[in-house]
Amino acid sequence: MAAGLSVAPVPLSAPAVPILSASGDFSNLREIKKQLLLIAGLTRERGLLHSSKWSAELAFSLPALPLAELQPPPPITEEDAQDMDAYTLAKAYFDVKEYDRAAHFLHGCNSKKAYFLYMYSRYLSGEKKKDDETVDSLGPLEKGQVKNEALRELRVELSKKHQARELDGFGLYLYGVVLRKLDLVKEAIDVFVEATHVLPLHWGAWLELCNLITDKEMLKFLSLPDTWMKEFFLAHIYTELQLIEEALQKYQNLIDVGFSKSSYIVSQIAVAYHNIRDIDKALSIFNELRKQDPYRIENMDTFSNLLYVRSMKSELSYLAHNLCEIDKYRVETCCVIGNYYSLRSQHEKAALYFQRALKLNPRYLGAWTLMGHEYMEMKNTSAAIQAYRHAIEVNKRDYRAWYGLGQTYEILKMPFYCLYYYRRAHQLRPNDSRMLVALGECYEKLNQLVEAKKCYWRAYAVGDVEKMALVKLAKLHEQLTESEQAAQCYIKYIQDIYSCGEIVEHLEESTAFRYLAQYYFKCKLWDEASTCAQKCCAFNDTREEGKALLRQILQLRNQGETPSTEMPVREI
C-alpha cells in the first residue's frame, strides 16, 4: 500500500535530540542501555509517557551502568534557555491534564521541545474534548460522528514545518499521528517511516507504524532503518500479523542477546502463545510474569481470556480482585472483571464492565470484541454486530471480530454475509481450524459441497482443535452416498480421539460407531461390525441399535453366512 522511503532522511543541522541513530546489532549492551535511558528522559520531557515507560522497563532489564559511564543530561541550547520558564510552567499544567492552559503558555516558543509540547497539548486537548463528548452524548454502541476539531489545523501547521524540514523525530511522530487520525494512511506510513529514520530510539513511532501495517506484503515495501530497535518492531508486528513462529524466534533471539529479564518480552511471548491457542504454555508464562512483576496490569486482560477459556473461576476471581486493588479504573481491569462476570453467566454485568472500559478508552480493541461476545450471549444480535464492527474499525486485523460477525449472521440465517466474514477471519488465521470448520458449514448451507469438503479436510490437516472436522466431512460423504470415504473419516475420527489420551466426552463418538457398524455389516465383515455394535451399546442413544445389530450378526452367522471379500464402494 505504501512504499517507504528509499533512503534515510538527512538529519537536521542542529538537532534537538543528541542521538539520532542506534547501531544495527546487540554487541554493545552498555551502549544500548545508555540510549534507552536517554530516550526515556527525552520522551518523558515531552509527555510521551508510554514510550518513556517502555524504554525505562527495557533499560531496567539490562545490567546497571557504573558511575563513570552514566551520561549527563543533554546540553541546553540557547532556544531551550529562552523557553525554559514557559516550558517548565506548561509541563506542570500538561502533567495535570490542563492541555489548553499548557498550549496557551507555550504559544510562540521556538525550541524544538517547547514547540512539540505546544502542538501535542493542542492535539490532546482535542482528543479529550472528543472523548468527553462521545461519552456524554452517545451510547457505547452508537456510531459517533464526534471529531477532534484540532486535527485539521494541526495538519496544516505541521505540514508546513515538514515541507521546510523543520520537524525533528518527535515532530514527525506527532505529524504521523495527526495524519492517521484523519485517515490519511499512506501519508501517515511514510511519515512514521521517516520518524524511525530520524529518531530510531522512539518506540512510539514504531508502534504507530505497526498499527498501520495490515499484511506481510506491506511490511516488505517499508524501507526501515538498520537498528536494533527494528528487531523489537519486527517481533511485535509478527505477533500482530499472527506470524507466531517468526515472532517467537525474534523474541528468543532478543532473550539470547541479553534481554532475558524484560517483562515486556515475557508478556509478548505469552500473548504469542495465546494467539496460537497453546493455552497451557501461555498460562505458565503469565503466572511467571505475575511473580516477576505482581503489579503489572498490561496484558492481564489476555491472561483473563485464558483463565476464562479454561473455566478457572477462582483464579479469575483472584485476578479481578487483585487488579481492582491496584487500579480499578484501568481498561484492562474492567475487561478482567467483565470476563469474570461472563464466566459466571452474568452477561448484563459483563457487558457493563466492557462498556466502562470503552468509556476509559474508546479505541480499546479487546473490549469491543468481548462486548460483542456478551451481546451474542444475550441474543442481542444487532448490538453484537455494532460492537464487532467497532472492533474492526479499531483494528482490521482482529480475526475474532470478523469471526464474531460471521457467527452473528449465521444466527440471522444470512449465509452469504456469513461466508464473507468467515473468509476474512480465515485470511487472518489461515491455520485456525475453527475458521475452516465455520467456512465449511457455510458452504454446506449454500450447497457448495465440494468447497465444504475442502474446508473440512483442511481443518483436519492443520490440527482440528475441536475434533469436529472429520465428523462433518464424514456426514457430508454420507449425504453424497460416498460410503467408503465416510467410513474412512469415521475411522480416522475414532483413532484420533482414542490416541489423544484425554478423557473427554465426544458427542459424535456414538454416531461414528453406529455408522461403522452398519457399514461393516453391509460389507459382511462380521467381526468388525460386531466390535462396533458392541461399542454402540456403551452409549444411550445407540444402545438399542447396537443390540439389534448384534442379534442380526449372530443370526446370520448361525445361518452360515461367510464374510464378503469385496468391499462395496458406494453403499449406505
Side-chain angles (χ1 to χ4, degrees):
M1 179 177 176
L5 305 174
S6 55
V7 293
V10 179
L12 303 170
S13 56
V17 180
I19 290 184
L20 293 180
S21 63
S23 61
D25 59 45
F26 294 91
S27 57
N28 190 343
L29 286 182
R30 285 190 173 189
E31 189 57 39
I32 288 173
K33 174 134 184 172
K34 289 178 193 175
Q35 293 171 354
L36 285 167
L37 291 172
L38 173 63
I39 198 66
L42 294 173
T43 46
R44 186 171 59 251
E45 287 175 348
R46 288 159 178 80
L48 298 166
L49 302 182
H50 288 288
S51 290
S52 179
K53 183 174 80 167
W54 185 86
S55 304
E57 282 183 347
L58 210 56
F60 180 76
S61 69
L62 296 174
L65 292 171
L67 178 62
E69 291 191 34
L70 289 173
Q71 288 184 311
I76 297 173
T77 65
E78 184 63 37
E79 286 180 332
D80 286 332
Q82 289 175 1
D83 294 339
M84 183 62 74
D85 289 348
Y87 166 79
T88 305
L89 178 63
K91 183 63 167 62
Y93 292 145
F94 181 95
D95 289 343
V96 292
K97 296 184 169 53
E98 296 184 7
Y99 301 123
D100 288 327
R101 204 173 178 194
H104 173 74
F105 284 96
L106 286 166
H107 185 66
C109 288
N110 296 316
S111 66
K112 290 283 193 300
K113 184 165 66 176
Y115 177 74
F116 175 83
L117 197 63
Y118 167 64
M119 298 298 279
Y120 193 41
S121 296
R122 288 171 62 190
Y123 165 76
L124 288 179
S125 170
E127 285 295 291
K128 187 172 184 294
K129 287 168 186 170
K130 181 194 78 171
D131 289 345
D132 290 347
E133 196 173 332
T134 302
V135 170
D136 290 343
S137 62
L138 300 170
L141 289 172
E142 292 177 52
K143 176 71 177 173
Q145 297 299 321
V146 184
K147 303 290 181 189
N148 180 345
E149 298 298 334
L151 288 176
R152 296 192 184 281
E153 285 180 22
L154 290 171
R155 183 199 171 196
V156 170
E157 292 179 43
L158 288 166
S159 175
K160 288 175 183 173
K161 290 268 187 183
H162 184 234
Q163 287 168 5
R165 302 192 66 76
E166 292 176 4
L167 291 177
D168 63 2
F170 292 115
L172 288 166
Y173 160 75
L174 183 57
Y175 184 34
V177 170
V178 169
L179 291 170
R180 175 180 65 76
K181 285 282 185 176
L182 291 168
D183 293 323
L184 300 167
V185 176
K186 182 184 182 302
E187 294 90 331
I189 289 174
D190 289 339
V191 171
F192 284 130
V193 168
E194 189 179 348
T196 61
H197 279 278
V198 174
L199 186 60
L201 295 171
H202 179 207
W203 178 241
W206 292 101
L207 208 53
E208 286 287 349
L209 186 59
C210 179
N211 292 334
L212 296 176
I213 306 301
T214 54
D215 55 54
K216 202 173 181 180
E217 286 304 306
M218 281 180 73
L219 192 58
K220 286 179 186 174
F221 288 107
L222 295 180
S223 174
L224 299 168
D226 183 20
T227 159
W228 59 266
M229 284 288 285
K230 182 181 174 183
E231 295 304 301
F232 282 91
F233 165 76
L234 289 174
H236 193 95
I237 188 71
Y238 287 155
T239 308
E240 291 291 305
L241 295 175
Q242 306 297 326
L243 302 167
I244 304 301
E245 281 186 27
E246 293 95 323
L248 288 171
Q249 185 58 57
K250 287 283 181 191
Y251 284 126
Q252 189 57 52
N253 293 344
L254 291 169
I255 285 172
D256 292 343
V257 297
F259 289 96
S260 59
K261 293 181 181 176
S262 167
S263 58
Y264 163 76
I265 291 176
V266 173
S267 69
Q268 286 295 106
I269 290 171
V271 169
Y273 279 115
H274 164 269
N275 288 355
I276 55 171
R277 295 179 69 79
D278 190 338
I279 296 172
D280 291 331
K281 187 81 172 170
L283 281 171
S284 169
I285 295 170
F286 269 123
N287 282 319
E288 282 302 311
L289 182 63
R290 292 270 292 159
K291 290 176 190 172
Q292 179 185 332
D293 193 353
Y295 293 95
R296 182 186 180 89
I297 294 181
E298 290 97 331
N299 303 119
M300 287 302 111
D301 50 336
T302 305
F303 183 31
S304 76
N305 292 342
L306 294 163
L307 297 173
Y308 177 93
V309 169
R310 278 289 158 89
S311 299
M312 299 168 78
K313 279 187 184 177
S314 58
E315 290 87 346
L316 187 49
S317 172
Y318 175 77
L319 180 65
H321 281 97
N322 183 235
L323 294 185
C324 247
E325 287 174 5
I326 298 168
D327 187 350
K328 66 163 70 173
Y329 296 113
R330 278 280 290 269
V331 285
E332 294 92 340
T333 303
C334 293
C335 288
V336 170
I337 298 170
N339 272 338
Y340 169 68
Y341 281 120
S342 181
L343 189 56
R344 290 171 55 111
S345 299
Q346 294 176 258
H347 299 297
E348 291 84 358
K349 268 192 174 180
L352 192 67
Y353 273 94
F354 295 134
Q355 287 175 14
R356 185 175 292 181
L358 290 165
K359 284 185 177 180
L360 294 166
N361 182 359
R363 290 188 61 80
Y364 197 71
L365 174 66
W368 282 118
T369 308
L370 291 169
M371 190 156 71
H373 296 344
E374 293 313 305
Y375 282 123
M376 283 279 284
E377 292 287 348
M378 292 188 277
K379 306 290 187 287
N380 187 346
T381 49
S382 62
I385 287 169
Q386 284 179 295
Y388 289 136
R389 287 194 188 283
H390 274 290
I392 289 164
E393 280 176 24
V394 173
N395 185 353
K396 288 184 171 57
R397 296 190 302 254
D398 182 24
Y399 76 92
R400 296 169 304 168
W402 292 107
Y403 184 63
L405 279 169
Q407 288 181 307
T408 312
Y409 282 109
E410 195 172 353
I411 289 168
L412 295 171
K413 294 185 169 49
M414 300 169 75
F416 281 105
Y417 282 88
C418 178
L419 183 64
Y420 169 75
Y421 293 115
Y422 281 146
R423 272 178 176 164
R424 292 298 296 263
H426 170 59
Q427 284 167 7
L428 292 165
R429 299 270 290 188
N431 294 323
D432 192 322
S433 63
R434 294 168 303 160
M435 313 298 145
L436 286 158
V437 168
L439 262 179
E441 289 173 339
C442 220
Y443 280 124
E444 220 178 314
K445 283 170 188 164
L446 294 167
N447 210 33
Q448 297 181 33
L449 302 184
V450 175
E451 293 298 322
K453 282 199 280 189
K454 285 179 187 173
C455 289
Y456 291 142
W457 180 251
R458 172 80 179 144
Y460 170 69
V462 298
D464 182 20
V465 293
E466 292 171 340
K467 301 279 187 265
M468 286 302 295
L470 279 175
V471 172
K472 290 182 181 295
L473 184 58
K475 287 180 177 177
L476 206 52
H477 284 306
E478 264 190 81
Q479 190 181 327
L480 297 168
T481 66
E482 298 168 354
S483 55
E484 188 175 355
Q485 291 95 320
Q488 289 302 319
C489 289
Y490 279 129
I491 290 166
K492 278 196 182 79
Y493 170 70
I494 294 294
Q495 286 171 344
D496 283 357
I497 62 174
Y498 276 80
S499 66
C500 70
E502 292 180 44
I503 303 170
V504 182
E505 185 184 349
H506 293 277
L507 300 175
E508 299 291 345
E509 203 176 332
S510 59
T511 307
F513 280 123
R514 176 202 284 147
Y515 183 84
L516 288 172
Q518 292 170 349
Y519 173 77
Y520 287 131
F521 181 80
K522 286 171 184 175
C523 295
K524 298 185 179 180
L525 295 168
W526 310 130
D527 289 343
E528 289 86 345
S530 181
T531 302
C532 291
Q534 284 169 357
K535 292 281 188 183
C536 287
C537 294
F539 303 96
N540 291 332
D541 56 332
T542 55
R543 184 171 291 131
E544 295 307 318
E545 289 174 73
K547 286 177 181 176
L549 201 59
L550 283 169
R551 285 195 294 271
Q552 281 182 276
I553 293 168
L554 185 62
Q555 188 180 352
L556 288 167
R557 273 180 162 164
N558 291 337
Q559 290 171 4
E561 282 267 11
T562 56
S564 171
T565 55
E566 290 187 16
M567 298 274 285
V569 176
R570 291 185 178 274
E571 199 175 315
I572 197 148

